[in-house]
Amino acid sequence: MIGKFFYLEGAYLILASIILLITLFVTTRPFMSKDAPKKGLTWVSLVLAFFIGLHFYVTTSRIAEVKKAFNEGKSVICESRMIRTMAQSIKIRKGVANWRIEGDNFVSPNYTRPFHLARCIVDKY
């Protein structure tokens, strides 16, 4: 679970670190009060932790929803990073084009790249 967290939220953790460094720089300026670094870092850390945690929860919930829908035979729409011109998404359904789930990826022998379930949604139509 912790590995999945770092894989899905790694970029946001790096951005949060940069934001904390900026907060530290700003709060240690001479015109700021002596307790500004403590207050600033505490509140910014809490806000960042909340939003990163919320994003992780939403993403893992969507992954579970996509897995369930795929196993029930429903269509799933995934972002295609290979095709950057017209159709930037692909519909995936169990039993079509030999799609299967390996870990958190959709794979098919007909496609060179896998599709991560975090970049997919259930087709409602």
Side-chain angles (χ1 to χ4, degrees), residues 5 10-12 20 23 28 30-31 33 37 44 53 60 66 71 84 88 96 99 103 105 110 113 121 125:
F5 176 78
Y12 297 115
L20 287 173
T23 303
T28 56
F31 57 85
S33 68
V44 171
T60 53
V66 166
N71 289 328
R84 288 290 183 189
Q88 291 188 356
V96 177
W99 286 107
N105 292 309
N110 302 328
R113 294 177 64 181
I121 58 171
Y125 302 103

Side-chain angles (χ1 to χ4, degrees), residues 58-79:
V58 168
T59 302
T60 53
S61 298
R62 187 175 61 246
I63 289 172
E65 180 185 357
V66 166
K67 277 185 183 181
K68 182 181 176 200
F70 177 77
N71 289 328
E72 291 174 354
K74 297 179 182 174
S75 290
V76 174
I77 301 172
C78 292
E79 172 189 20

Side-chain angles (χ1 to χ4, degrees), residues 23-68:
T23 303
L24 181 62
F25 177 78
V26 170
T27 57
T28 56
R29 299 299 90 205
F31 57 85
M32 299 295 284
S33 68
K34 293 288 182 197
D35 60 342
K38 182 180 175 185
K39 286 181 181 178
L41 289 174
T42 300
W43 284 105
V44 171
S45 296
L46 288 172
V47 168
L48 291 171
F50 172 76
F51 282 114
I52 290 171
L54 181 65
H55 184 265
F56 181 70
Y57 172 76
V58 168
T59 302
T60 53
S61 298
R62 187 175 61 246
I63 289 172
E65 180 185 357
V66 166
K67 277 185 183 181
K68 182 181 176 200

